[in-house]
Amino acid sequence: MTTAIKALSDGAIIAQRNLIKVKRMPEVIVMMLISPFMFILLFAFVFGNVINIPGGDYRQFLLGGIFAQTILFGATFTGLGVAEDVQKGIIDRYRSLPAARSALLVGRTTSDIVYNLLSIGVMMLAGLVVGWRIGSSVGEAILGVLLLLLFAYAFSWVMAYFGLLVPSVEVFNSATAVVIFPLTFLATTFVPAEPLPVVVRTFAEWNPVSAIAQASRELFGNISPATPVPPSWPLSHPVTYSLLWIVGILVVFVPLAIRQYGRTTNR
């Protein structure tokens, strides 16, 4: 059996273990799903009438940002689980087994795809409640979901790497908040880039979170023909820019996380 096939086989077993583990703690999933639902209602009803989208509707604009925000926060669930496994010494037990070195990380990131798919489904249902609609073809909408899942999967490897680096779950929570909040809010997740100050606007235009939000708006058909095309290349080619980020993140962080897994010992 080649190393890659063994990693996938062992990873599938660990993914199954993670899903069974969460099944026994349904409150974790419930809380994960309630959060994006509340954000949709909050932004739709509080800011929906005061934020102007040139040529478009804020609630159509909002859902792309909520999709991006939720999968980004959902990726921290991966790192949190890894940090918890390190803290409890579970990783040491895995390392004593004749399993592929990358199996735990492959299993963790793979099982979290299921959670992200559930989150996207819940967000779509909440979006329908506040007036959001899919304006594209079925094929484009499926591509939109797949792109969101791919971005979430790639970012899960970033969080897995940080989960292996930090000494405790508490440190992981604090450290990721420092990274996740600027990435989410210095972006076009909830407001368009045009009114922002120049420095912030430039950061927001090249922020990958803005690209994945804009890509989902484009693939779900939520951009009105009357809305001007963004002048920056990332936002005028959001699908291509998002795919470049996905590939870049996987190329960098998969080997980094696997190498760090090999170095991690029970703390």
Side-chain angles (χ1 to χ4, degrees):
M1 182 181 292
T2 65
T3 303
I5 293 176
K6 183 168 175 52
L8 291 175
S9 173
D10 295 341
I13 295 171
I14 293 175
Q16 188 179 13
R17 167 251 182 192
N18 291 334
L19 292 173
I20 291 172
K21 182 182 170 184
V22 174
K23 184 181 171 184
R24 291 172 180 164
M25 296 185 295
E27 64 273 12
V28 175
I29 288 291
V30 170
M31 293 309 295
M32 278 182 64
L33 300 181
I34 285 177
S35 174
F37 189 81
M38 288 181 63
F39 267 102
I40 289 174
L41 296 180
L42 178 69
F43 276 86
F45 290 109
V46 176
F47 299 112
N49 295 324
V50 296
I51 297 178
N52 179 44
I53 303 299
D57 176 78
Y58 183 70
R59 294 184 183 183
Q60 303 299 316
F61 177 89
L62 171 65
L63 261 289
I66 294 287
F67 285 138
Q69 182 208 36
T70 302
I71 61 171
L72 207 64
F73 278 90
T76 62
F77 189 63
T78 304
L80 195 65
V82 171
E84 191 179 40
D85 284 348
V86 173
Q87 195 171 11
K88 291 181 176 177
I90 293 174
I91 278 190
D92 289 323
R93 272 187 269 164
Y94 278 127
R95 291 176 63 187
S96 68
L97 299 173
R101 193 169 66 167
S102 58
L104 183 135
L105 300 175
V106 170
R108 173 66 67 176
T109 52
T110 303
S111 62
D112 288 349
I113 292 175
V114 177
Y115 311 143
N116 285 315
L117 190 57
L118 280 173
S119 295
I120 292 171
V122 168
M123 286 185 287
M124 285 182 165
L125 290 176
L128 292 174
V129 171
V130 299
W132 173 78
R133 297 291 183 269
I134 295 176
S136 60
S137 65
V138 174
E140 287 175 313
I142 291 172
L143 284 177
V145 173
L146 290 177
L147 187 66
L148 287 168
L149 290 177
L150 270 176
F151 190 84
Y153 179 74
F155 210 75
S156 291
W157 280 93
V158 179
M159 291 294 108
Y161 175 64
F162 284 111
L164 290 166
L165 278 180
V166 297
S168 68
V169 172
E170 292 77 15
V171 174
F172 177 84
N173 278 329
S174 303
T176 51
V178 173
V179 176
I180 295 292
F181 277 96
L183 271 178
T184 305
F185 288 96
L186 294 178
T188 59
T189 43
F190 303 117
V191 294
E194 287 71 22
L196 300 174
V198 175
V199 175
V200 178
R201 185 176 70 229
T202 304
F203 182 87
E205 288 173 341
W206 289 86
N207 184 341
V209 179
S210 299
I212 195 70
Q214 185 73 4
S216 62
R217 289 173 191 129
E218 191 172 290
L219 290 170
F220 290 129
N222 298 143
I223 301 177
S224 165
T227 301
V229 177
S232 65
W233 187 85
L235 293 184
S236 57
H237 302 81
V239 176
T240 304
Y241 190 60
S242 298
L243 288 172
L244 289 175
W245 267 100
I246 289 167
V247 172
I249 289 172
L250 289 174
V251 166
V252 172
F253 280 94
V254 170
L256 271 180
I258 293 174
R259 189 174 65 173
Q260 185 60 36
Y261 174 75
R263 293 176 174 175
T264 300
T265 56
N266 192 7
R267 300 182 177 109

